[in-house]
Coordinates of all heavy atoms in Angstrom, one line a residue:
M1 N -18.1 -36.1 -5.7 CA -16.7 -36.5 -5.7 C -16.0 -36.1 -7.0 O -16.4 -36.5 -8.1 CB -16.5 -38.0 -5.4 CG -15.1 -38.5 -5.2 SD -14.4 -37.8 -3.7 CE -12.7 -38.1 -4.0
L2 N -14.9 -35.4 -6.9 CA -14.2 -35.0 -8.0 C -13.3 -36.1 -8.6 O -12.7 -36.9 -7.9 CB -13.2 -33.9 -7.6 CG -13.0 -32.7 -8.5 CD1 -14.4 -31.9 -8.6 CD2 -12.0 -31.8 -7.9
T3 N -13.3 -36.2 -9.9 CA -12.4 -37.2 -10.6 C -11.1 -36.5 -11.0 O -11.0 -35.3 -11.0 CB -13.1 -37.8 -11.8 OG1 -13.2 -36.8 -12.8 CG2 -14.4 -38.4 -11.5
C4 N -10.1 -37.3 -11.4 CA -8.8 -36.8 -11.8 C -9.1 -35.9 -13.0 O -8.4 -34.9 -13.2 CB -7.9 -37.9 -12.1 SG -7.4 -38.8 -10.7
K5 N -10.0 -36.3 -13.9 CA -10.3 -35.6 -15.1 C -10.8 -34.2 -14.8 O -10.4 -33.2 -15.3 CB -11.2 -36.4 -16.0 CG -11.1 -36.0 -17.5 CD -12.1 -36.8 -18.3 CE -12.3 -36.2 -19.6 NZ -13.6 -36.6 -20.3
D6 N -11.8 -34.2 -13.8 CA -12.3 -32.9 -13.4 C -11.2 -32.0 -12.8 O -11.1 -30.8 -13.1 CB -13.3 -33.1 -12.2 CG -14.6 -33.9 -12.7 OD1 -14.9 -33.8 -13.9 OD2 -15.2 -34.6 -11.9
F7 N -10.3 -32.6 -12.0 CA -9.2 -31.9 -11.4 C -8.4 -31.2 -12.5 O -8.1 -30.0 -12.4 CB -8.4 -32.8 -10.5 CG -7.3 -32.1 -9.9 CD1 -7.5 -31.3 -8.7 CD2 -6.0 -32.1 -10.5 CE1 -6.4 -30.6 -8.2 CE2 -4.9 -31.4 -9.9 CZ -5.1 -30.7 -8.7
L8 N -8.0 -32.0 -13.5 CA -7.1 -31.5 -14.5 C -7.8 -30.4 -15.3 O -7.1 -29.5 -15.8 CB -6.6 -32.7 -15.4 CG -5.7 -33.7 -14.7 CD1 -5.4 -34.9 -15.6 CD2 -4.5 -33.1 -14.2
N9 N -9.1 -30.6 -15.5 CA -9.8 -29.5 -16.2 C -9.8 -28.2 -15.5 O -9.8 -27.1 -16.1 CB -11.3 -30.0 -16.4 CG -11.5 -30.9 -17.6 OD1 -10.6 -31.0 -18.5 ND2 -12.5 -31.7 -17.5
E10 N -9.8 -28.3 -14.2 CA -9.8 -27.0 -13.4 C -8.4 -26.6 -12.9 O -8.3 -25.5 -12.3 CB -10.7 -27.3 -12.1 CG -12.1 -27.8 -12.4 CD -12.9 -26.7 -13.1 OE1 -12.6 -25.6 -13.1 OE2 -14.0 -27.1 -13.7
L11 N -7.4 -27.4 -13.3 CA -6.1 -27.1 -12.7 C -5.6 -25.7 -13.0 O -5.1 -25.0 -12.1 CB -5.1 -28.2 -13.2 CG -3.7 -28.0 -12.7 CD1 -3.6 -28.1 -11.2 CD2 -2.8 -29.1 -13.4
S12 N -5.7 -25.3 -14.3 CA -5.1 -24.0 -14.6 C -5.8 -22.8 -13.9 O -5.2 -21.9 -13.4 CB -5.2 -23.7 -16.1 OG -6.5 -23.7 -16.6
D13 N -7.2 -23.0 -13.7 CA -7.9 -22.0 -12.9 C -7.5 -22.0 -11.5 O -7.3 -21.0 -10.8 CB -9.4 -22.2 -13.0 CG -9.9 -21.7 -14.4 OD1 -9.2 -21.0 -15.1 OD2 -11.0 -22.2 -14.7
Y14 N -7.3 -23.2 -11.0 CA -6.9 -23.4 -9.6 C -5.5 -22.7 -9.3 O -5.4 -22.0 -8.3 CB -6.8 -24.9 -9.3 CG -6.2 -25.2 -8.0 CD1 -6.7 -24.8 -6.8 CD2 -5.0 -26.0 -7.9 CE1 -6.1 -25.2 -5.6 CE2 -4.4 -26.3 -6.7 CZ -4.9 -25.9 -5.5 OH -4.3 -26.2 -4.4
L15 N -4.6 -22.9 -10.2 CA -3.3 -22.3 -10.1 C -3.3 -20.8 -10.3 O -2.5 -20.1 -9.8 CB -2.3 -23.0 -11.0 CG -2.0 -24.5 -10.6 CD1 -1.1 -25.1 -11.7 CD2 -1.4 -24.7 -9.3
D16 N -4.2 -20.4 -11.1 CA -4.4 -18.9 -11.4 C -5.1 -18.3 -10.2 O -5.1 -17.0 -10.1 CB -5.4 -18.7 -12.6 CG -4.6 -18.5 -13.8 OD1 -3.4 -18.5 -13.8 OD2 -5.2 -18.5 -14.9
E17 N -5.7 -19.1 -9.3 CA -6.4 -18.6 -8.1 C -7.6 -17.8 -8.6 O -8.0 -16.8 -7.9 CB -5.5 -17.8 -7.2 CG -4.4 -18.7 -6.6 CD -3.5 -18.0 -5.7 OE1 -3.7 -16.8 -5.4 OE2 -2.5 -18.7 -5.2
S18 N -8.2 -18.1 -9.7 CA -9.3 -17.4 -10.3 C -10.6 -18.3 -10.2 O -11.5 -18.1 -10.9 CB -9.1 -17.0 -11.7 OG -8.9 -18.2 -12.5
I19 N -10.6 -19.2 -9.2 CA -11.8 -20.0 -9.1 C -12.5 -19.7 -7.7 O -11.8 -19.2 -6.8 CB -11.5 -21.6 -9.1 CG1 -10.4 -21.9 -8.1 CG2 -11.1 -22.0 -10.5 CD1 -10.3 -23.4 -7.9
D20 N -13.7 -20.1 -7.6 CA -14.4 -19.8 -6.4 C -14.0 -20.7 -5.3 O -13.5 -21.8 -5.5 CB -16.0 -19.8 -6.6 CG -16.5 -21.1 -7.0 OD1 -16.5 -22.1 -6.2 OD2 -16.8 -21.3 -8.2
A21 N -14.2 -20.2 -4.1 CA -13.7 -20.9 -2.9 C -14.2 -22.3 -2.8 O -13.5 -23.2 -2.3 CB -14.1 -20.1 -1.7
E22 N -15.4 -22.6 -3.2 CA -16.0 -23.9 -3.0 C -15.3 -24.9 -3.9 O -14.9 -26.0 -3.5 CB -17.5 -23.9 -3.4 CG -18.2 -25.1 -2.9 CD -19.5 -25.4 -3.7 OE1 -20.1 -24.5 -4.2 OE2 -19.9 -26.6 -3.8
L23 N -15.1 -24.5 -5.2 CA -14.4 -25.4 -6.1 C -13.0 -25.6 -5.7 O -12.4 -26.7 -5.8 CB -14.5 -24.8 -7.6 CG -13.9 -25.6 -8.7 CD1 -14.5 -27.0 -8.7 CD2 -14.2 -25.0 -10.0
R24 N -12.4 -24.5 -5.3 CA -11.0 -24.6 -4.8 C -10.9 -25.6 -3.6 O -10.0 -26.4 -3.6 CB -10.6 -23.2 -4.3 CG -9.2 -23.1 -3.9 CD -8.8 -21.8 -3.3 NE -7.4 -21.7 -3.0 CZ -6.5 -21.5 -3.9 NH1 -6.8 -21.3 -5.1 NH2 -5.2 -21.5 -3.6
A25 N -11.8 -25.6 -2.7 CA -11.8 -26.5 -1.6 C -11.9 -27.9 -2.1 O -11.3 -28.8 -1.6 CB -12.9 -26.2 -0.6
R26 N -12.8 -28.1 -3.1 CA -12.9 -29.5 -3.7 C -11.7 -30.0 -4.4 O -11.3 -31.1 -4.3 CB -14.1 -29.5 -4.6 CG -15.5 -29.5 -3.9 CD -16.6 -29.2 -4.8 NE -16.8 -30.4 -5.7 CZ -17.6 -30.3 -6.8 NH1 -18.2 -29.2 -7.2 NH2 -17.7 -31.4 -7.6
L27 N -11.0 -29.1 -5.1 CA -9.7 -29.4 -5.7 C -8.7 -29.7 -4.7 O -7.9 -30.7 -4.8 CB -9.3 -28.3 -6.6 CG -10.2 -28.0 -7.8 CD1 -9.8 -26.7 -8.5 CD2 -10.3 -29.1 -8.8
E28 N -8.6 -28.9 -3.6 CA -7.6 -29.2 -2.6 C -7.9 -30.5 -1.9 O -7.0 -31.2 -1.5 CB -7.6 -28.0 -1.6 CG -6.7 -26.9 -2.2 CD -6.8 -25.6 -1.4 OE1 -7.6 -25.5 -0.5 OE2 -6.1 -24.7 -1.8
Q29 N -9.2 -30.8 -1.7 CA -9.6 -32.1 -1.1 C -9.1 -33.2 -2.0 O -8.6 -34.2 -1.5 CB -11.1 -32.1 -1.0 CG -11.7 -33.4 -0.6 CD -11.5 -33.7 0.9 OE1 -11.4 -32.8 1.7 NE2 -11.6 -35.0 1.3
H30 N -9.2 -33.0 -3.3 CA -8.8 -34.1 -4.3 C -7.3 -34.3 -4.2 O -6.9 -35.5 -4.1 CB -9.2 -33.7 -5.7 CG -8.8 -34.8 -6.7 ND1 -9.6 -35.9 -6.9 CD2 -7.7 -35.0 -7.5 CE1 -9.0 -36.7 -7.8 NE2 -7.9 -36.2 -8.1
I31 N -6.5 -33.3 -4.1 CA -5.0 -33.5 -4.1 C -4.5 -34.1 -2.8 O -3.5 -34.6 -2.7 CB -4.2 -32.3 -4.5 CG1 -4.6 -31.0 -3.7 CG2 -4.3 -32.0 -6.0 CD1 -3.6 -29.8 -4.1
T32 N -5.3 -33.9 -1.7 CA -4.9 -34.5 -0.5 C -5.2 -36.1 -0.5 O -4.5 -36.8 0.2 CB -5.7 -34.0 0.8 OG1 -7.1 -34.2 0.6 CG2 -5.4 -32.5 0.9
E33 N -6.1 -36.5 -1.4 CA -6.4 -37.9 -1.5 C -5.8 -38.6 -2.8 O -5.8 -39.8 -2.9 CB -7.9 -38.1 -1.6 CG -8.6 -37.7 -0.3 CD -10.1 -37.5 -0.5 OE1 -10.6 -37.6 -1.7 OE2 -10.8 -37.2 0.5
C34 N -5.3 -37.8 -3.7 CA -4.8 -38.3 -4.9 C -3.3 -37.9 -5.2 O -3.1 -36.7 -5.6 CB -5.7 -37.9 -6.1 SG -5.1 -38.5 -7.7
P35 N -2.3 -38.7 -4.9 CA -0.9 -38.3 -5.0 C -0.6 -37.9 -6.5 O 0.3 -37.1 -6.7 CB -0.1 -39.6 -4.6 CG -1.1 -40.4 -3.9 CD -2.5 -40.1 -4.4
N36 N -1.2 -38.6 -7.4 CA -0.9 -38.3 -8.8 C -1.2 -36.9 -9.2 O -0.4 -36.2 -9.8 CB -1.7 -39.2 -9.7 CG -1.2 -40.7 -9.7 OD1 0.0 -40.9 -9.4 ND2 -2.0 -41.6 -10.0
C37 N -2.4 -36.5 -8.8 CA -2.8 -35.1 -9.1 C -2.1 -34.1 -8.3 O -1.8 -33.0 -8.7 CB -4.3 -34.9 -8.9 SG -5.3 -35.7 -10.2
W38 N -1.7 -34.5 -7.1 CA -0.8 -33.6 -6.2 C 0.5 -33.3 -7.0 O 0.9 -32.2 -7.1 CB -0.5 -34.2 -4.9 CG 0.2 -33.3 -4.0 CD1 -0.3 -32.3 -3.2 CD2 1.7 -33.2 -3.9 NE1 0.8 -31.6 -2.6 CE2 1.9 -32.1 -3.0 CE3 2.7 -33.9 -4.4 CZ2 3.2 -31.8 -2.7 CZ3 4.0 -33.6 -4.1 CH2 4.3 -32.5 -3.2
V39 N 1.1 -34.4 -7.5 CA 2.4 -34.2 -8.2 C 2.2 -33.3 -9.4 O 3.0 -32.4 -9.7 CB 3.0 -35.6 -8.6 CG1 4.1 -35.4 -9.6 CG2 3.4 -36.3 -7.4
I40 N 1.1 -33.5 -10.2 CA 0.8 -32.7 -11.4 C 0.6 -31.3 -11.0 O 1.2 -30.4 -11.6 CB -0.4 -33.3 -12.1 CG1 -0.1 -34.7 -12.7 CG2 -0.9 -32.3 -13.2 CD1 -1.3 -35.5 -13.2
A41 N -0.2 -31.0 -9.9 CA -0.4 -29.7 -9.5 C 0.8 -29.0 -9.0 O 1.1 -27.8 -9.4 CB -1.5 -29.7 -8.4
D42 N 1.6 -29.7 -8.3 CA 2.9 -29.2 -7.7 C 3.9 -28.9 -8.9 O 4.5 -27.8 -8.9 CB 3.5 -30.2 -6.8 CG 4.6 -29.6 -6.0 OD1 4.4 -28.5 -5.3 OD2 5.8 -30.2 -6.0
T43 N 4.0 -29.8 -9.8 CA 4.9 -29.6 -10.9 C 4.5 -28.4 -11.8 O 5.3 -27.6 -12.2 CB 5.0 -30.9 -11.8 OG1 5.3 -32.0 -10.9 CG2 6.0 -30.8 -12.9
T44 N 3.2 -28.4 -12.0 CA 2.7 -27.3 -12.9 C 2.8 -26.0 -12.2 O 3.2 -25.0 -12.8 CB 1.2 -27.6 -13.2 OG1 1.0 -28.9 -13.7 CG2 0.7 -26.6 -14.2
R45 N 2.6 -25.9 -10.9 CA 2.7 -24.7 -10.1 C 4.2 -24.2 -10.2 O 4.5 -23.0 -10.4 CB 2.3 -24.9 -8.7 CG 2.3 -23.6 -7.9 CD 2.2 -23.8 -6.4 NE 0.8 -24.1 -6.1 CZ 0.5 -25.2 -5.4 NH1 1.4 -26.1 -5.0 NH2 -0.8 -25.5 -5.1
R46 N 5.1 -25.1 -10.0 CA 6.5 -24.7 -10.1 C 6.9 -24.2 -11.5 O 7.6 -23.3 -11.6 CB 7.4 -26.0 -9.8 CG 7.6 -26.3 -8.4 CD 8.2 -27.6 -8.2 NE 7.9 -28.2 -7.0 CZ 8.7 -28.1 -5.9 NH1 9.8 -27.5 -5.9 NH2 8.3 -28.7 -4.8
T47 N 6.4 -24.9 -12.5 CA 6.7 -24.5 -13.9 C 6.2 -23.1 -14.1 O 6.9 -22.3 -14.7 CB 6.0 -25.5 -14.9 OG1 6.4 -26.8 -14.5 CG2 6.4 -25.2 -16.3
I48 N 5.0 -22.8 -13.6 CA 4.4 -21.5 -13.8 C 5.3 -20.5 -13.1 O 5.6 -19.4 -13.6 CB 2.9 -21.4 -13.3 CG1 2.0 -22.2 -14.2 CG2 2.4 -20.0 -13.2 CD1 0.7 -22.5 -13.7
Q49 N 5.7 -20.8 -11.9 CA 6.5 -19.9 -11.1 C 7.9 -19.6 -11.8 O 8.3 -18.5 -11.8 CB 6.8 -20.5 -9.7 CG 5.6 -20.3 -8.8 CD 5.9 -20.9 -7.4 OE1 6.8 -21.7 -7.3 NE2 5.0 -20.6 -6.5
I50 N 8.4 -20.6 -12.4 CA 9.7 -20.4 -13.2 C 9.4 -19.5 -14.3 O 10.2 -18.6 -14.5 CB 10.2 -21.8 -13.7 CG1 10.7 -22.6 -12.5 CG2 11.3 -21.6 -14.7 CD1 10.8 -24.1 -12.8
Y51 N 8.3 -19.7 -15.1 CA 8.0 -18.8 -16.2 C 7.8 -17.4 -15.7 O 8.1 -16.4 -16.4 CB 6.8 -19.3 -17.0 CG 7.1 -20.4 -17.9 CD1 6.5 -21.6 -17.9 CD2 8.2 -20.3 -18.9 CE1 6.8 -22.7 -18.7 CE2 8.5 -21.3 -19.7 CZ 7.8 -22.5 -19.7 OH 8.1 -23.5 -20.5
K52 N 7.2 -17.2 -14.6 CA 7.0 -15.9 -14.0 C 8.2 -15.3 -13.4 O 8.2 -14.2 -13.0 CB 5.8 -15.9 -13.0 CG 4.5 -16.1 -13.6 CD 3.4 -16.1 -12.6 CE 2.0 -16.3 -13.2 NZ 1.0 -16.5 -12.1
G53 N 9.3 -16.1 -13.3 CA 10.5 -15.6 -12.7 C 10.4 -15.5 -11.2 O 11.2 -14.7 -10.6
M54 N 9.5 -16.2 -10.6 CA 9.4 -16.1 -9.1 C 10.0 -17.3 -8.4 O 10.1 -17.3 -7.2 CB 7.9 -16.1 -8.7 CG 7.2 -14.9 -9.2 SD 5.4 -14.8 -9.0 CE 5.0 -16.4 -8.4
D55 N 10.6 -18.2 -9.1 CA 11.2 -19.4 -8.5 C 12.5 -19.0 -7.9 O 13.4 -18.4 -8.5 CB 11.4 -20.5 -9.5 CG 11.5 -21.8 -8.7 OD1 12.6 -22.1 -8.2 OD2 10.5 -22.6 -8.7
P56 N 12.7 -19.3 -6.6 CA 14.0 -18.9 -5.9 C 15.1 -19.8 -6.3 O 16.3 -19.5 -6.1 CB 13.7 -19.1 -4.4 CG 12.5 -20.1 -4.4 CD 11.7 -19.9 -5.6
Y57 N 14.8 -21.0 -6.9 CA 15.9 -21.9 -7.3 C 16.2 -21.7 -8.8 O 15.3 -21.5 -9.6 CB 15.5 -23.3 -7.0 CG 15.1 -23.5 -5.6 CD1 13.7 -23.6 -5.3 CD2 16.0 -23.5 -4.6 CE1 13.3 -23.8 -3.9 CE2 15.6 -23.7 -3.3 CZ 14.3 -23.8 -2.9 OH 13.9 -24.0 -1.7
P58 N 17.5 -21.8 -9.2 CA 17.8 -21.8 -10.6 C 17.1 -23.0 -11.3 O 17.2 -24.1 -10.8 CB 19.3 -21.9 -10.7 CG 19.7 -22.3 -9.3 CD 18.6 -22.0 -8.3
V59 N 16.6 -22.8 -12.5 CA 15.8 -23.8 -13.1 C 16.6 -25.0 -13.6 O 16.3 -26.1 -13.2 CB 15.1 -23.2 -14.4 CG1 14.2 -24.2 -15.1 CG2 14.4 -21.9 -14.1
P60 N 17.7 -24.8 -14.3 CA 18.3 -26.0 -15.0 C 19.3 -26.7 -14.1 O 20.2 -27.3 -14.7 CB 18.9 -25.4 -16.2 CG 19.2 -23.9 -15.8 CD 18.5 -23.6 -14.6
T61 N 19.2 -26.6 -12.8 CA 20.3 -27.3 -12.0 C 20.5 -28.7 -12.4 O 21.6 -29.2 -12.6 CB 19.8 -27.2 -10.5 OG1 19.5 -25.9 -10.2 CG2 20.9 -27.7 -9.6
D62 N 19.4 -29.4 -12.5 CA 19.5 -30.9 -12.8 C 20.1 -31.1 -14.2 O 21.0 -31.9 -14.4 CB 18.1 -31.5 -12.7 CG 18.1 -33.0 -13.0 OD1 19.0 -33.7 -12.5 OD2 17.3 -33.4 -13.8
V63 N 19.6 -30.3 -15.1 CA 20.1 -30.4 -16.5 C 21.5 -30.0 -16.6 O 22.3 -30.7 -17.2 CB 19.2 -29.5 -17.4 CG1 19.8 -29.5 -18.9 CG2 17.8 -29.8 -17.4
E64 N 21.9 -28.9 -15.9 CA 23.2 -28.5 -15.9 C 24.2 -29.5 -15.2 O 25.2 -29.7 -15.8 CB 23.3 -27.1 -15.1 CG 24.6 -26.4 -15.3 CD 24.6 -25.1 -14.5 OE1 23.6 -24.4 -14.4 OE2 25.7 -24.8 -14.0
S65 N 23.8 -30.1 -14.1 CA 24.7 -31.0 -13.5 C 24.9 -32.3 -14.3 O 26.0 -32.8 -14.4 CB 24.1 -31.4 -12.1 OG 23.0 -32.2 -12.2
R66 N 23.8 -32.6 -15.1 CA 23.9 -33.8 -16.0 C 24.8 -33.5 -17.1 O 25.7 -34.3 -17.6 CB 22.6 -34.2 -16.5 CG 21.9 -35.3 -15.5 CD 20.7 -35.8 -16.1 NE 19.6 -34.9 -16.2 CZ 18.5 -35.0 -16.8 NH1 18.3 -36.1 -17.5 NH2 17.5 -34.1 -16.8
L67 N 24.7 -32.2 -17.6 CA 25.6 -31.8 -18.7 C 27.0 -31.7 -18.2 O 27.9 -32.2 -19.0 CB 25.1 -30.4 -19.1 CG 25.8 -29.8 -20.4 CD1 25.3 -30.6 -21.6 CD2 25.4 -28.3 -20.5
M68 N 27.3 -31.2 -17.0 CA 28.6 -31.2 -16.5 C 29.2 -32.5 -16.3 O 30.4 -32.8 -16.7 CB 28.6 -30.5 -15.1 CG 28.4 -29.0 -15.2 SD 29.4 -28.1 -16.4 CE 31.0 -28.2 -15.5
K69 N 28.4 -33.5 -15.9 CA 28.9 -34.9 -15.7 C 29.3 -35.4 -17.1 O 30.3 -36.1 -17.2 CB 27.8 -35.7 -15.0 CG 28.0 -35.7 -13.5 CD 27.0 -36.6 -12.9 CE 27.1 -36.4 -11.4 NZ 25.9 -36.9 -10.7
A70 N 28.5 -35.2 -18.1 CA 28.7 -35.7 -19.4 C 30.0 -35.1 -19.9 O 30.8 -35.8 -20.6 CB 27.6 -35.3 -20.3
L71 N 30.2 -33.8 -19.7 CA 31.4 -33.1 -20.1 C 32.7 -33.6 -19.4 O 33.7 -33.9 -20.0 CB 31.3 -31.6 -19.9 CG 30.4 -30.8 -20.9 CD1 30.2 -29.4 -20.4 CD2 31.0 -30.8 -22.3
E72 N 32.5 -33.8 -18.1 CA 33.6 -34.4 -17.3 C 34.0 -35.7 -17.8 O 35.2 -36.1 -17.9 CB 33.2 -34.5 -15.8 CG 33.4 -33.2 -15.1 CD 32.7 -33.2 -13.7 OE1 32.4 -34.3 -13.2 OE2 32.5 -32.1 -13.2
K73 N 33.0 -36.5 -18.2 CA 33.3 -37.9 -18.7 C 34.1 -37.8 -20.0 O 35.1 -38.5 -20.2 CB 32.0 -38.6 -19.0 CG 31.6 -39.5 -17.8 CD 30.4 -40.4 -18.3 CE 29.9 -41.2 -17.1 NZ 28.7 -42.0 -17.5
R74 N 33.7 -36.8 -20.8 CA 34.4 -36.6 -22.1 C 35.8 -36.2 -21.9 O 36.7 -36.6 -22.5 CB 33.6 -35.6 -22.9 CG 32.4 -36.1 -23.6 CD 32.0 -35.2 -24.7 NE 31.2 -35.9 -25.7 CZ 30.9 -35.5 -26.9 NH1 31.5 -34.4 -27.4 NH2 30.2 -36.2 -27.7
I75 N 35.9 -35.2 -21.0 CA 37.3 -34.7 -20.7 C 38.1 -35.8 -20.1 O 39.3 -35.9 -20.5 CB 37.2 -33.5 -19.7 CG1 36.5 -32.3 -20.4 CG2 38.5 -33.1 -19.2 CD1 36.0 -31.2 -19.5
A76 N 37.6 -36.5 -19.2 CA 38.3 -37.6 -18.5 C 38.7 -38.7 -19.6 O 39.8 -39.2 -19.6 CB 37.5 -38.3 -17.5
A77 N 37.8 -38.9 -20.5 CA 38.1 -39.9 -21.5 C 39.2 -39.4 -22.4 O 40.1 -40.2 -22.8 CB 36.8 -40.2 -22.4
K78 N 39.2 -38.1 -22.7 CA 40.2 -37.6 -23.6 C 41.6 -37.6 -22.9 O 42.6 -37.9 -23.5 CB 39.9 -36.1 -23.9 CG 39.1 -36.0 -25.2 CD 38.9 -34.5 -25.6 CE 38.0 -34.4 -26.8 NZ 37.7 -33.0 -27.1
K79 N 41.6 -37.3 -21.6 CA 42.8 -37.3 -20.8 C 43.4 -38.7 -20.7 O 44.6 -38.9 -20.7 CB 42.5 -36.8 -19.4 CG 42.6 -35.3 -19.3 CD 42.4 -34.8 -17.9 CE 42.3 -33.3 -17.8 NZ 41.8 -32.9 -16.5
R80 N 42.4 -39.7 -20.6 CA 42.8 -41.1 -20.4 C 43.4 -41.7 -21.7 O 44.3 -42.5 -21.7 CB 41.7 -41.9 -19.9 CG 42.1 -42.8 -18.7 CD 40.9 -43.6 -18.2 NE 39.8 -42.8 -17.6 CZ 38.6 -42.8 -18.0 NH1 38.2 -43.6 -19.0 NH2 37.7 -42.1 -17.4
A81 N 42.8 -41.2 -22.8 CA 43.2 -41.8 -24.1 C 44.7 -41.9 -24.4 O 45.2 -43.0 -24.7 CB 42.4 -41.1 -25.2
P82 N 45.4 -40.8 -24.2 CA 46.9 -40.9 -24.6 C 47.7 -41.8 -23.6 O 48.6 -42.5 -24.1 CB 47.4 -39.4 -24.4 CG 46.1 -38.6 -24.3 CD 45.1 -39.5 -23.8
T83 N 47.3 -41.8 -22.3 CA 48.0 -42.6 -21.4 C 47.8 -44.1 -21.6 O 48.6 -44.9 -21.2 CB 47.7 -42.2 -19.9 OG1 46.3 -42.4 -19.7 CG2 48.1 -40.8 -19.6
S84 N 46.6 -44.4 -22.2 CA 46.4 -45.8 -22.4 C 47.1 -46.4 -23.6 O 47.2 -47.6 -23.8 CB 44.9 -46.0 -22.6 OG 44.5 -45.5 -23.8
L85 N 47.7 -45.4 -24.4 CA 48.5 -45.9 -25.5 C 49.9 -46.0 -25.1 O 50.4 -45.3 -24.2 CB 48.4 -44.8 -26.6 CG 47.0 -44.7 -27.3 CD1 47.0 -43.4 -28.2 CD2 46.7 -45.9 -28.1
P86 N 50.7 -46.9 -25.6 CA 52.1 -47.0 -25.3 C 52.9 -45.8 -25.7 O 52.7 -45.2 -26.7 CB 52.5 -48.3 -26.0 CG 51.4 -48.7 -26.9 CD 50.2 -47.8 -26.6
Ligands
ZN101 ZN1 -6.5 -37.3 -9.1

């Protein structure tokens, strides 16, 4: 039975697809039973895809939307400031 530590040790090879079929099957077995490692594998895989430029989604959507919200707040605050003064 594979432990989480074993899984993490093999993760980069697993994502590289440079491991043998038997070990791959054991790792896949582990992520079906371990949500934590599934999340780690999924996140790492996405990160690798982004670095390779294969990700169909723009990377910083979340960051960008948070930045835009912060900017909107600032702009709104600036707009509000003069009207709140007599
Ligand atoms: Zn695990």
Side-chain angles (χ1 to χ4, degrees):
M1 184 69 195
L2 220 66
T3 65
C4 293
K5 206 180 161 200
D6 294 333
F7 179 83
L8 295 175
N9 281 338
E10 304 295 343
L11 181 59
S12 64
D13 285 343
Y14 169 64
L15 295 175
D16 266 354
E17 297 181 2
S18 63
I19 55 167
D20 62 74
E22 194 205 334
L23 183 55
R24 185 185 183 81
R26 286 168 68 194
L27 295 172
E28 279 170 355
Q29 173 75 22
H30 183 84
I31 52 175
T32 61
E33 293 165 355
C34 180
N36 289 337
C37 287
W38 183 85
V39 169
I40 291 166
D42 191 54
T43 306
T44 309
R45 187 190 285 124
R46 281 169 204 266
T47 307
I48 290 168
Q49 282 177 346
I50 288 161
Y51 279 125
K52 286 180 178 171
M54 293 175 352
D55 199 286
Y57 306 104
V59 185
T61 308
D62 179 46
V63 177
E64 197 182 317
S65 70
R66 271 189 289 169
L67 188 68
M68 288 309 289
K69 272 184 186 160
L71 284 172
E72 277 167 18
K73 265 189 185 176
R74 281 200 159 196
I75 292 163
K78 269 189 186 172
K79 277 184 186 166
R80 228 180 290 122
T83 58
S84 68
L85 294 168

